[in-house]
Amino acid sequence: MDETYTQVAAVAPSGAIAGQGLTQDLHEFNVLGSAGASALVTSYVNFAHNVTYPACPGSPTTPFTKTGLFTEVSTDGLNTTLFQWNAIDHVDPTDTYVCPGDFNVGTGNSIGDGFDFFHINALDKDENGDYLVSSRHCSTIFKIAGNQNTEGLAPGSVIWRLGGKQNSFPVMDSTVPGTPNLNFSFQHHARFRPFINGISLWDNANDNITPASSVASSGMSVTISTVNGTNKATLIEQYVSPDRQLDSSQGSHQFLPNGNHFMGLGSYPYVYEQTPNGTNVFYANWGSLPLQSYRAFKYVWVGKPPITEIALFGYAQSCTAPAAFYASWNGATEVVSWKYFTSSTENGTFALAATAVNNGTFETFTTAPFNLFAYAIAYDDLGNMLGQTPTISVFVPDAALAPSCNAISCAVGTNYGAASTATCAAPPAPTVITSSSSFAVSATVLSSKTSKATSAAKIHGTPSVTTSPLKGRKTPTPSTSPPAQAKKTPSPSSSPIKKPKKTPSSSTSPIKQSIKTSNPTPTSSPAKARKTPSPSTSSVKQSKNTPTPSTSPVKQPKKTPSLSTSPPTQAKKTPSPSTSPVKQPKKTPTPSTSSPAHVKKTPNPSMTKTRKPTLSPSPPSLPLSSTPSPSSSPAAKRH
């Protein structure tokens, strides 16, 4: 699969075992080498095979066995088998640490429920052509001879076994403080690490049934020495999560280019990163139980899905309620922000209605004044347009459906179609108020995060509108800057605004504007592209019509004056402002009402359920290590 999420190749094993065609299992898919000419895949096969397990209670005999095998297959589309290995040909099933009937291992009583004695879960290949195989249920890591083994061993032969009942290493020590010896069980994600002359693995240390071999799961680095016939395995690095969880299944241990180690906790929705000396630099919880992850990795990834994956949904509870918009582009990692445009006709002129910053969720949510049609445009962090959604009609529930809906969604609606859509008249054209705060975010949202202190109108880029828009106004063309106002038409606002294109002459009134006023005090707003200063975070709240004088000058926009809590700087030859109320223009505009409130989307809490382990009679326990004791409140107890 490439960066557009388009399939470029399909890889699958070929052949048959015990009359059954092989299929690829989910446990491993390891593309080998920089060229990626071949890959390692796992398979499972049930077949008739009687085995008695004397270490299990009652010494049961199972007529059906599940074996694990792997195949190295070409990735050229031909799926040529380059190597294949079957566990049942080289491993005694009684080497297992689980028993028939244990949780999720099979009973062995039918062909469809064979006993999984081996459970293959990780594969790798070294530069000599030999293979690394991890068996969870045998708690063993095998090194298998490849087609050109340097020691002349037959292909498929077991070179050594690390751990388990047939361990090849009499010396398993440790240089990690607090851990006197190497001990692991039910491991995952084993990999060759030639630069340490050894391997890495994720030590689960338990399976939720067998007694744990350690007090916490961890990432491990192990050196391997087979010099002079003396096999020695030494634990040199161990990376335990901050909450010291015991992960009962899955998990991973990744070596990062900067030398750090990145771990996934498998059955727990946690990941963490540590430096080589064990210092934790990242720890994240990406969900809640029962969410799990087989493996977790950290990579630089830029996803560029096709334009067909971009989508927009619009909803309004009624024909007069604010519209809620949900924009998404599945897999597009470069999307930083969205702009939403609306119109009263499908093919008419669309005006910018809202702007929203992508907060990392699947859908970017915002609200805007109601309109009949909408589309959205996605932008990257430099303000470049990435893609545009199709034009959609805003869904409004009909009278029968409306009582079951709320302000931002209609959860009971399974099909937002014409049958359940109310008929709405086109809303009056809005009167756009051009002010120092309106649309200021359009010039800055793509390069910086919007301050929490910024008003809702600024965050969403929604123009202020009156409850009685002026008739005869044309809907503005979509733009990142506000449309020009009609001549001789006072724009309703909460503060006096001069008539368009008529600058009042010098007088004693302190509201005279000039483009030559002194420079205002810099503020924290980054809206440099508009040259419009954002309101100061320490300004005093002004009354509806009368501004409170102040000594701090504020530079006004070039065309549209907007009163701040302090009088504007005067142009040359203009008397100093007095402390008397500001003289109002001859025509006092109608004060506007606040724009519809933006409703925040509140996610429904997910219901989680923790699986209780199925306990069986005590199978043979594995030796416990001396790993430091857990903290008083491990995360496992919290779940």
Side-chain angles (χ1 to χ4, degrees), residues 5-183:
Y5 305 96
T6 301
Q7 179 177 304
V8 295
V11 179
S14 57
I17 300 293
Q20 300 182 50
L22 296 181
T23 58
Q24 182 176 338
D25 171 73
L26 62 85
H27 286 87
E28 184 64 274
F29 178 64
N30 187 0
V31 178
L32 301 174
S34 58
S38 63
L40 299 175
V41 297
T42 52
S43 300
Y44 284 75
V45 173
N46 290 310
F47 67 106
H49 186 68
N50 282 321
V51 179
T52 299
Y53 297 91
C56 295
S59 299
T61 297
T62 59
F64 297 96
T65 297
K66 177 183 288 186
T67 185
L69 56 100
F70 78 86
T71 305
E72 180 177 358
V73 58
S74 67
T75 58
D76 56 4
L78 300 177
N79 290 327
T80 303
T81 297
L82 304 176
F83 187 88
Q84 196 166 79
W85 185 86
N86 189 347
I88 196 64
D89 296 333
H90 303 275
V91 181
D92 185 342
T94 61
D95 286 344
T96 188
Y97 282 98
V98 297
C99 291
D102 284 352
F103 177 75
N104 209 29
V105 302
T107 64
N109 294 328
S110 67
I111 189 65
D113 192 30
F115 173 57
D116 182 11
F117 77 96
F118 193 77
H119 197 87
I120 189 170
N121 64 16
L123 304 168
D124 201 11
K125 185 179 182 180
D126 67 10
E127 65 276 10
N128 295 320
D130 296 327
Y131 300 91
L132 198 67
V133 178
S134 171
S135 166
R136 181 191 184 208
H137 291 170
C138 292
S139 291
T140 304
I141 296 173
F142 298 80
K143 185 176 182 181
I144 306 300
N147 288 325
Q148 288 85 34
N149 178 259
T150 57
E151 299 175 10
L153 297 177
S157 301
V158 175
I159 300 174
W160 50 249
R161 308 172 191 229
L162 178 62
K165 296 180 181 180
Q166 306 296 330
N167 180 32
S168 304
F169 292 81
V171 179
M172 295 179 66
D173 58 5
S174 169
T175 61
V176 175
T179 305
N181 60 301
L182 169 63
N183 188 26

Side-chain angles (χ1 to χ4, degrees), residues 95 129 189 223 301 351 424 431 460 512 523 600:
D95 286 344
H189 199 215
T223 59
W301 172 254
C424 297
T431 300
H460 295 284
K512 178 179 178 180
T523 67
K600 292 184 177 180

Side-chain angles (χ1 to χ4, degrees), residues 332-358:
T333 60
E334 296 180 299
V335 176
V336 170
S337 64
W338 295 84
K339 290 183 180 180
Y340 303 79
F341 298 85
T342 61
S343 175
S344 60
T345 59
E346 185 173 6
N347 299 314
T349 302
F350 282 72
L352 178 64
T355 301
V357 175
N358 182 7

Side-chain angles (χ1 to χ4, degrees), residues 186-203:
F186 302 101
Q187 75 289 335
H188 285 77
H189 199 215
R191 288 290 187 266
F192 283 120
R193 302 297 179 186
F195 47 86
I196 65 169
N197 293 318
I199 66 171
S200 66
L201 63 128
W202 173 253
D203 174 28

Side-chain angles (χ1 to χ4, degrees), residues 2 115 145 203 240-241 278 306 309 322 324 441 447 483 490 521 553:
D2 61 15
F115 173 57
D203 174 28
V240 183
S241 76
E309 296 296 320
V441 72
S447 59
T521 302

